Amino acid sequence: MQQLSDRINNLPVSETLAMAAKARELKAEGKDIISLSLGEPDFNTPDFIKDAAKQAIDDNYNSYSPVDGYLDLREAICRKFKRDNNLTYSPNQIVVSTGAKQSIANIALVLLNPGDEVLLPAPYWVSYSAIATLAEATYKEIPSSIDTDFKITPEQLEAAITPKTKLIFFNSPNNPSGTVYTESEYRAFAKILEKYPNIYILSDEIYEHINYGQPNFSFASIESMYDRTITVNGVAKAFAMTGWRIGYMGGPAWIAKACTKIQGQITSGANCIAQRATIAALDAPVSKIQFMVDEFHKRRDLVLELLSEIKGININTPKGAFYVFPDVSSYFGKTIDGVTINDAGDFSMFLLEKANVATVTGGAFGAPDCIRLSYAASTEDLKEAFKRIKNVLN
Ligand code: GLU
């Protein structure tokens, strides 16, 4: 008899990873699938970072690292926060983890009690809600739509707050919509939150460098928010290091200490070679990775152009990250090629089956009218994918 816990039975699978796995499976069966499901740069990790990792192996970095990360890495993270985000942290306010996903899970697990409420401006990354569930909290979505560029308003934020609200997630540039909040928009949220001193803010800034307009503004740099904001970041997206699994948080020392405690019982310190490589990544000038950002920018423009040729698709202009998040609801209720499309999940499956293009349903991100397509893929693949989509839809 299989007797799994309620905890795991109540946990949804990660739709991003599930779709990527499905695409891999179909490819292995010989199908010509183009996967636009996973948000993963198609570049190789830059050589100067790989060299630092090789050096670390030769220097015998093979033992357990401190649970919260090497001190010189945490110092490098402090320098990065100062340089890029105008945030002053000391190393005891930093915890290095196995990916930003673990940083987020640590924070949720150390702050949330059963029954606490988490606010998720929608659309939001799939794992936020799952992690809140894992922490036995409830979550409330604050909806937005393509008509507001997927932004919520301060009024919506205030209306969603209850005495049980403990944590709110901000994520700019946003996965999946690519929306970027401006400094003045963030300051308006801060004004509301100043009235509710028991609410903490998790600001996920993993896409900060993949930004096509105004520079990233860190929520914690608003003075009144510094003491209750935890900033999460990592090297996966900007440095093409997804598989190296290094994320980190900066925030109040008492929260960092608690994150270290929980991490010490679950995974210990993150991979030591990857930590050494991360020092090289973070100490390098941001100009070293600009070529990737420029390339993503070009691909975004290409994808917007290709999408504009497809009927019934409503699209905004994402200002960052590497996703487009079109509203496909005009297709709901229609039958194409013998397949009835009732929701974004059906639409995404339709594209997989009829066009051999893998995407992710917006339902997983709290936006059931949309689907997500990652353009962190080669120009050639993007052109072919959108040609196929156009063929099956037009
Ligand atoms: N964050 C990426 C995405 O949204 C990687 C997959 C994941 O961990 O969800 O596609």
Side-chain angles (χ1 to χ4, degrees), residues 8 26 54 70 107 111 134 163 171 185 212-213 241 286-287 315 320 324 327 348 376:
I8 191 68
L26 291 171
K54 289 176 197 162
Y70 290 116
I107 294 160
L111 284 182
L134 198 58
N171 171 218
E185 285 163 343
Y212 314 123
M241 293 174 72
V286 179
S287 58
I315 183 82
V324 280
D327 184 316
S348 178

PDB file of all heavy atoms in Angstrom, residues 8 26 54 70 107 111 134 163 171 185 212-213 241 286-287 315 320 324 327 348 376:
ATOM      1  N   ILE A   8       2.722  15.812   0.783  1.00  0.00           N
ATOM      2  CA  ILE A   8       3.107  15.611  -0.618  1.00  0.00           C
ATOM      3  C   ILE A   8       1.864  15.436  -1.496  1.00  0.00           C
ATOM      4  O   ILE A   8       1.832  15.899  -2.637  1.00  0.00           O
ATOM      5  CB  ILE A   8       4.116  14.442  -0.790  1.00  0.00           C
ATOM      6  CG1 ILE A   8       4.707  14.411  -2.203  1.00  0.00           C
ATOM      7  CG2 ILE A   8       3.508  13.090  -0.464  1.00  0.00           C
ATOM      8  CD1 ILE A   8       5.614  15.576  -2.496  1.00  0.00           C
ATOM      9  N   LEU A  26       9.221  13.227 -25.316  1.00  0.00           N
ATOM     10  CA  LEU A  26       8.747  13.149 -26.701  1.00  0.00           C
ATOM     11  C   LEU A  26       9.923  13.211 -27.677  1.00  0.00           C
ATOM     12  O   LEU A  26       9.939  12.528 -28.698  1.00  0.00           O
ATOM     13  CB  LEU A  26       7.750  14.275 -26.996  1.00  0.00           C
ATOM     14  CG  LEU A  26       6.405  14.155 -26.270  1.00  0.00           C
ATOM     15  CD1 LEU A  26       5.577  15.424 -26.444  1.00  0.00           C
ATOM     16  CD2 LEU A  26       5.611  12.949 -26.767  1.00  0.00           C
ATOM     17  N   LYS A  54      37.207  25.375 -12.337  1.00  0.00           N
ATOM     18  CA  LYS A  54      38.306  24.420 -12.545  1.00  0.00           C
ATOM     19  C   LYS A  54      39.404  24.652 -11.504  1.00  0.00           C
ATOM     20  O   LYS A  54      39.964  23.723 -10.940  1.00  0.00           O
ATOM     21  CB  LYS A  54      38.879  24.584 -13.958  1.00  0.00           C
ATOM     22  CG  LYS A  54      37.939  24.090 -15.041  1.00  0.00           C
ATOM     23  CD  LYS A  54      38.532  24.386 -16.415  1.00  0.00           C
ATOM     24  CE  LYS A  54      37.470  24.294 -17.494  1.00  0.00           C
ATOM     25  NZ  LYS A  54      37.866  24.955 -18.735  1.00  0.00           N
ATOM     26  N   TYR A  70      30.508  30.136   1.865  1.00  0.00           N
ATOM     27  CA  TYR A  70      31.845  30.642   2.221  1.00  0.00           C
ATOM     28  C   TYR A  70      31.762  32.126   2.558  1.00  0.00           C
ATOM     29  O   TYR A  70      31.039  32.879   1.888  1.00  0.00           O
ATOM     30  CB  TYR A  70      32.804  30.470   1.039  1.00  0.00           C
ATOM     31  CG  TYR A  70      33.162  29.037   0.740  1.00  0.00           C
ATOM     32  CD1 TYR A  70      32.794  28.455  -0.465  1.00  0.00           C
ATOM     33  CD2 TYR A  70      33.868  28.262   1.663  1.00  0.00           C
ATOM     34  CE1 TYR A  70      33.117  27.137  -0.750  1.00  0.00           C
ATOM     35  CE2 TYR A  70      34.188  26.946   1.385  1.00  0.00           C
ATOM     36  CZ  TYR A  70      33.818  26.386   0.184  1.00  0.00           C
ATOM     37  OH  TYR A  70      34.121  25.090  -0.090  1.00  0.00           O
ATOM     38  N   ILE A 107      12.927  30.738   3.287  1.00  0.00           N
ATOM     39  CA  ILE A 107      12.273  31.930   3.840  1.00  0.00           C
ATOM     40  C   ILE A 107      10.824  31.604   4.215  1.00  0.00           C
ATOM     41  O   ILE A 107      10.344  31.960   5.297  1.00  0.00           O
ATOM     42  CB  ILE A 107      12.345  33.095   2.829  1.00  0.00           C
ATOM     43  CG1 ILE A 107      13.805  33.526   2.641  1.00  0.00           C
ATOM     44  CG2 ILE A 107      11.482  34.274   3.276  1.00  0.00           C
ATOM     45  CD1 ILE A 107      14.081  34.303   1.358  1.00  0.00           C
ATOM     46  N   LEU A 111       9.319  31.663   8.118  1.00  0.00           N
ATOM     47  CA  LEU A 111       8.429  32.779   8.487  1.00  0.00           C
ATOM     48  C   LEU A 111       6.972  32.365   8.687  1.00  0.00           C
ATOM     49  O   LEU A 111       6.244  33.013   9.430  1.00  0.00           O
ATOM     50  CB  LEU A 111       8.481  33.883   7.422  1.00  0.00           C
ATOM     51  CG  LEU A 111       9.717  34.787   7.411  1.00  0.00           C
ATOM     52  CD1 LEU A 111       9.577  35.843   6.316  1.00  0.00           C
ATOM     53  CD2 LEU A 111       9.927  35.475   8.767  1.00  0.00           C
ATOM     54  N   LEU A 134       3.429  24.134   0.998  1.00  0.00           N
ATOM     55  CA  LEU A 134       4.342  23.270   1.742  1.00  0.00           C
ATOM     56  C   LEU A 134       4.548  23.793   3.164  1.00  0.00           C
ATOM     57  O   LEU A 134       4.693  23.022   4.109  1.00  0.00           O
ATOM     58  CB  LEU A 134       5.682  23.237   0.995  1.00  0.00           C
ATOM     59  CG  LEU A 134       6.660  22.130   1.309  1.00  0.00           C
ATOM     60  CD1 LEU A 134       6.045  20.764   1.067  1.00  0.00           C
ATOM     61  CD2 LEU A 134       7.909  22.279   0.431  1.00  0.00           C
ATOM     62  N   PRO A 163      -5.791  40.449   8.624  1.00  0.00           N
ATOM     63  CA  PRO A 163      -4.943  40.298   9.821  1.00  0.00           C
ATOM     64  C   PRO A 163      -4.026  39.074   9.743  1.00  0.00           C
ATOM     65  O   PRO A 163      -3.045  38.972  10.480  1.00  0.00           O
ATOM     66  CB  PRO A 163      -5.966  40.152  10.955  1.00  0.00           C
ATOM     67  CG  PRO A 163      -7.213  40.799  10.432  1.00  0.00           C
ATOM     68  CD  PRO A 163      -7.221  40.559   8.958  1.00  0.00           C
ATOM     69  N   ASN A 171       8.064  40.195  -7.596  1.00  0.00           N
ATOM     70  CA  ASN A 171       9.003  39.579  -8.551  1.00  0.00           C
ATOM     71  C   ASN A 171       9.067  40.459  -9.795  1.00  0.00           C
ATOM     72  O   ASN A 171       8.163  40.448 -10.608  1.00  0.00           O
ATOM     73  CB  ASN A 171       8.504  38.161  -8.888  1.00  0.00           C
ATOM     74  CG  ASN A 171       9.276  37.501 -10.019  1.00  0.00           C
ATOM     75  OD1 ASN A 171       8.698  36.800 -10.845  1.00  0.00           O
ATOM     76  ND2 ASN A 171      10.561  37.694 -10.058  1.00  0.00           N
ATOM     77  N   GLU A 185       6.163  53.001  -8.631  1.00  0.00           N
ATOM     78  CA  GLU A 185       5.126  51.993  -8.342  1.00  0.00           C
ATOM     79  C   GLU A 185       5.466  51.228  -7.063  1.00  0.00           C
ATOM     80  O   GLU A 185       4.598  50.981  -6.211  1.00  0.00           O
ATOM     81  CB  GLU A 185       4.992  51.029  -9.528  1.00  0.00           C
ATOM     82  CG  GLU A 185       4.273  51.658 -10.711  1.00  0.00           C
ATOM     83  CD  GLU A 185       4.480  50.914 -12.024  1.00  0.00           C
ATOM     84  OE1 GLU A 185       5.407  50.089 -12.147  1.00  0.00           O
ATOM     85  OE2 GLU A 185       3.704  51.198 -12.964  1.00  0.00           O
ATOM     86  N   TYR A 212      15.221  45.287 -20.227  1.00  0.00           N
ATOM     87  CA  TYR A 212      15.426  45.978 -21.501  1.00  0.00           C
ATOM     88  C   TYR A 212      15.120  47.472 -21.451  1.00  0.00           C
ATOM     89  O   TYR A 212      15.029  48.123 -22.469  1.00  0.00           O
ATOM     90  CB  TYR A 212      14.578  45.321 -22.594  1.00  0.00           C
ATOM     91  CG  TYR A 212      14.695  43.819 -22.569  1.00  0.00           C
ATOM     92  CD1 TYR A 212      13.571  43.009 -22.436  1.00  0.00           C
ATOM     93  CD2 TYR A 212      15.942  43.210 -22.653  1.00  0.00           C
ATOM     94  CE1 TYR A 212      13.691  41.630 -22.386  1.00  0.00           C
ATOM     95  CE2 TYR A 212      16.063  41.839 -22.603  1.00  0.00           C
ATOM     96  CZ  TYR A 212      14.936  41.052 -22.463  1.00  0.00           C
ATOM     97  OH  TYR A 212      15.052  39.703 -22.406  1.00  0.00           O
ATOM     98  N   GLY A 213      14.897  47.980 -20.255  1.00  0.00           N
ATOM     99  CA  GLY A 213      14.568  49.392 -20.188  1.00  0.00           C
ATOM    100  C   GLY A 213      15.223  49.999 -18.978  1.00  0.00           C
ATOM    101  O   GLY A 213      16.445  50.041 -18.856  1.00  0.00           O
ATOM    102  N   MET A 241      23.875  29.837 -15.639  1.00  0.00           N
ATOM    103  CA  MET A 241      24.384  28.836 -14.689  1.00  0.00           C
ATOM    104  C   MET A 241      23.230  28.074 -14.030  1.00  0.00           C
ATOM    105  O   MET A 241      23.296  27.760 -12.837  1.00  0.00           O
ATOM    106  CB  MET A 241      25.232  29.540 -13.613  1.00  0.00           C
ATOM    107  CG  MET A 241      26.530  30.138 -14.139  1.00  0.00           C
ATOM    108  SD  MET A 241      27.389  31.096 -12.866  1.00  0.00           S
ATOM    109  CE  MET A 241      28.013  29.805 -11.777  1.00  0.00           C
ATOM    110  N   VAL A 286      29.200  43.937 -14.770  1.00  0.00           N
ATOM    111  CA  VAL A 286      27.971  43.469 -15.425  1.00  0.00           C
ATOM    112  C   VAL A 286      28.116  43.502 -16.953  1.00  0.00           C
ATOM    113  O   VAL A 286      27.472  42.723 -17.672  1.00  0.00           O
ATOM    114  CB  VAL A 286      26.768  44.329 -14.958  1.00  0.00           C
ATOM    115  CG1 VAL A 286      25.477  43.902 -15.632  1.00  0.00           C
ATOM    116  CG2 VAL A 286      26.605  44.240 -13.449  1.00  0.00           C
ATOM    117  N   SER A 287      29.025  44.365 -17.445  1.00  0.00           N
ATOM    118  CA  SER A 287      29.210  44.458 -18.902  1.00  0.00           C
ATOM    119  C   SER A 287      29.619  43.113 -19.512  1.00  0.00           C
ATOM    120  O   SER A 287      29.398  42.874 -20.687  1.00  0.00           O
ATOM    121  CB  SER A 287      30.250  45.528 -19.218  1.00  0.00           C
ATOM    122  OG  SER A 287      31.458  45.219 -18.566  1.00  0.00           O
ATOM    123  N   ILE A 315      -1.093  40.387 -26.966  1.00  0.00           N
ATOM    124  CA  ILE A 315       0.241  40.360 -26.348  1.00  0.00           C
ATOM    125  C   ILE A 315       0.638  41.757 -25.861  1.00  0.00           C
ATOM    126  O   ILE A 315       0.304  42.760 -26.483  1.00  0.00           O
ATOM    127  CB  ILE A 315       1.270  39.781 -27.356  1.00  0.00           C
ATOM    128  CG1 ILE A 315       2.679  39.660 -26.763  1.00  0.00           C
ATOM    129  CG2 ILE A 315       1.344  40.572 -28.658  1.00  0.00           C
ATOM    130  CD1 ILE A 315       2.860  38.439 -25.953  1.00  0.00           C
ATOM    131  N   GLY A 320      11.328  42.751 -19.395  1.00  0.00           N
ATOM    132  CA  GLY A 320      12.464  42.015 -18.839  1.00  0.00           C
ATOM    133  C   GLY A 320      12.193  40.524 -18.851  1.00  0.00           C
ATOM    134  O   GLY A 320      11.190  40.065 -19.397  1.00  0.00           O
ATOM    135  N   VAL A 324       7.387  35.465 -23.085  1.00  0.00           N
ATOM    136  CA  VAL A 324       6.200  36.213 -23.504  1.00  0.00           C
ATOM    137  C   VAL A 324       5.004  35.473 -22.911  1.00  0.00           C
ATOM    138  O   VAL A 324       5.042  34.258 -22.711  1.00  0.00           O
ATOM    139  CB  VAL A 324       6.057  36.316 -25.040  1.00  0.00           C
ATOM    140  CG1 VAL A 324       6.955  37.409 -25.581  1.00  0.00           C
ATOM    141  CG2 VAL A 324       6.320  35.003 -25.736  1.00  0.00           C
ATOM    142  N   ASP A 327      -2.214  36.424 -24.070  1.00  0.00           N
ATOM    143  CA  ASP A 327      -3.578  36.058 -23.699  1.00  0.00           C
ATOM    144  C   ASP A 327      -4.178  35.323 -24.902  1.00  0.00           C
ATOM    145  O   ASP A 327      -4.251  35.876 -26.000  1.00  0.00           O
ATOM    146  CB  ASP A 327      -4.354  37.350 -23.392  1.00  0.00           C
ATOM    147  CG  ASP A 327      -5.766  37.079 -22.908  1.00  0.00           C
ATOM    148  OD1 ASP A 327      -6.434  36.210 -23.508  1.00  0.00           O
ATOM    149  OD2 ASP A 327      -6.206  37.745 -21.957  1.00  0.00           O
ATOM    150  N   SER A 348      -2.224  24.887 -24.634  1.00  0.00           N
ATOM    151  CA  SER A 348      -0.818  24.495 -24.543  1.00  0.00           C
ATOM    152  C   SER A 348      -0.630  23.053 -25.043  1.00  0.00           C
ATOM    153  O   SER A 348       0.315  22.756 -25.789  1.00  0.00           O
ATOM    154  CB  SER A 348      -0.388  24.656 -23.075  1.00  0.00           C
ATOM    155  OG  SER A 348       0.919  24.252 -22.897  1.00  0.00           O
ATOM    156  N   ALA A 376      14.253  32.054 -24.508  1.00  0.00           N
ATOM    157  CA  ALA A 376      15.660  31.715 -24.275  1.00  0.00           C
ATOM    158  C   ALA A 376      15.988  30.481 -25.120  1.00  0.00           C
ATOM    159  O   ALA A 376      16.372  29.428 -24.612  1.00  0.00           O
ATOM    160  CB  ALA A 376      15.893  31.458 -22.796  1.00  0.00           C
TER     161      ALA A 376
END
